Amino acid sequence: MTLALLCSIGDESRGRFVLDFINLWETRSQRLMNALGSHDFDEADVVLLSIRSSSTMLGAWPLEAIAGMVHAAVKRTDLAGCVGHLARLREVGAATCLELTLLVESRCSSPTAGVS
């Protein structure tokens, strides 16, 4: 995964963005599941826009691509198409969060953290 935003994690606002992404992943994922469970395609659209934009800002391209597939199905109100990608979206989202966590921890514990 390319994590464009982490190249300068020493910047406080960028570090906060990464941590917010990690902390919000389960909430976003659950909101999406709830929206699709109640056939609320408008809410699903909002959640997927959030996932896609933040994934793009992080350079988390695999997550953005899968969210894009779900989003395309949402736009077609294709519930079966959405459900067909949900397990993979949740898997890649969790893996992205784990990778981000490990990168943040390694940057924070590095003796040269924040030094360019």
Side-chain angles (χ1 to χ4, degrees), residues 3 41 61 66 102:
L3 298 168
F41 291 100
W61 308 122
I66 294 166
L102 293 173

Side-chain angles (χ1 to χ4, degrees), residues 28-93:
R28 287 177 174 152
S29 179
Q30 194 59 52
R31 278 181 60 202
L32 179 60
M33 301 287 282
N34 292 342
L36 293 174
S38 63
H39 301 158
D40 185 347
F41 291 100
D42 290 333
E43 173 69 1
D45 179 59
V46 170
V47 175
L48 286 161
L49 285 171
S50 176
I51 291 170
R52 292 185 72 191
S53 63
S54 57
S55 296
T56 297
M57 291 172 70
L58 286 170
W61 308 122
L63 181 57
E64 195 285 329
I66 294 166
M69 289 187 273
V70 179
H71 200 204
V74 163
K75 292 294 195 182
R76 295 188 309 270
T77 64
D78 174 10
L79 185 60
C82 294
V83 171
H85 295 294
L86 280 181
R88 184 74 178 135
L89 178 72
R90 290 176 55 90
E91 176 186 328
V92 172

